[in-house]
């Protein structure tokens, strides 16, 4: 079950990155819910991403990863589904969530 559609209370800012596929077809999820002092750095990473472009072109291959990114900021939720060939600025956002850092000390929790 996806962690992206969690019905719990919505924080001021939540970023969830979900990776599916690969050799075993497993799903891995990372989540960041930054404190108020950390939100500006995270919002800048989110703002750089081309959300209006929707889905990136799919790459062929049985063992390729697929990425699903969901950002909830107050009342707005944005989502994107991307192929394994992540390009900037998507790569920076995904890497930051996986590390739990948006240029400073973030608060990620791998699932």
């Amino acid at each position: 079950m996806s962690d992206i559609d969690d019905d719990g209370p919505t924080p001021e800012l939540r970023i969830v990155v979900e990776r599916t596929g690969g050799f075993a077809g497993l799903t891995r999820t990372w989540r960041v819910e930054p404190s108020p002092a950390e939100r500006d750095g995270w919002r800048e990473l989110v703002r750089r991403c081309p959300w209006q472009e929707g889905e990136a072109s799919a790459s062929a291959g049985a063992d390729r990863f697929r990425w699903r990114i969901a950002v909830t900021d107050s009342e707005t939720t944005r989502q994107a589904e991307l192929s394994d060939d992540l390009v900037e600025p998507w790569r920076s956002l995904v890497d930051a969530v996986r590390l739990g850092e948006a240029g400073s000390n973030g608060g990620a929790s791998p699932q």
Side-chain angles (χ1 to χ4, degrees):
M1 180 170 198
S2 173
D3 198 19
I4 291 176
D5 298 322
D6 185 13
D7 289 330
T10 303
E12 184 71 24
L13 178 63
R14 174 192 293 162
I15 305 169
V16 179
V17 172
E18 185 178 271
R19 183 188 71 195
T20 59
F23 180 69
L26 300 175
T27 298
R28 179 94 191 259
T29 304
W30 297 267
R31 176 195 303 222
V32 174
E33 295 179 9
S35 69
E38 300 167 328
R39 289 183 188 140
D40 287 343
W42 287 103
R43 285 186 174 123
E44 179 60 23
L45 283 172
V46 169
R47 185 193 63 76
R48 292 179 190 163
C49 294
W51 297 93
Q52 69 282 2
E53 292 180 16
E55 185 162 334
S57 60
S59 299
D63 296 332
R64 304 289 299 209
F65 289 120
R66 296 287 299 166
W67 298 89
R68 184 171 178 209
I69 302 167
V71 177
T72 302
D73 193 353
S74 298
E75 299 296 319
T76 305
T77 298
R78 294 185 262 185
Q79 294 188 25
E81 292 195 27
L82 307 165
S83 68
D84 194 24
D85 301 324
L86 289 175
V87 296
E88 290 300 328
W90 294 111
R91 172 56 64 194
S92 292
L93 178 61
V94 167
D95 288 347
V97 172
R98 290 175 72 187
L99 293 172
E101 301 176 356
S104 65
N105 186 17
S109 59
Q111 303 287 317

